[in-house]
Amino acid sequence: GIVQEVDILVTRIESDGEEYIIPNKRVFNAGIVRIRS
């Protein structure tokens, strides 16, 4: 998906028309898997 916003507590990602809200703790532990331009 595409990162829409990085907040203090969560990261918002949009993918296939759906929005996912992921806690930053999970994002930082898992890392970024793939970046496409």
Side-chain angles (χ1 to χ4, degrees):
I2 299 171
V3 175
Q4 297 295 323
E5 178 183 359
V6 177
D7 201 319
I8 294 172
L9 299 175
V10 297
T11 297
R12 299 175 191 273
I13 299 174
E14 185 177 325
S15 179
D16 298 328
E18 294 190 25
E19 184 179 53
Y20 299 92
I21 300 172
I22 304 169
N24 283 340
K25 181 179 179 182
R26 183 171 170 195
V27 174
F28 296 141
N29 285 341
I32 296 173
V33 177
R34 179 175 64 181
I35 299 174
R36 62 180 174 170
S37 51

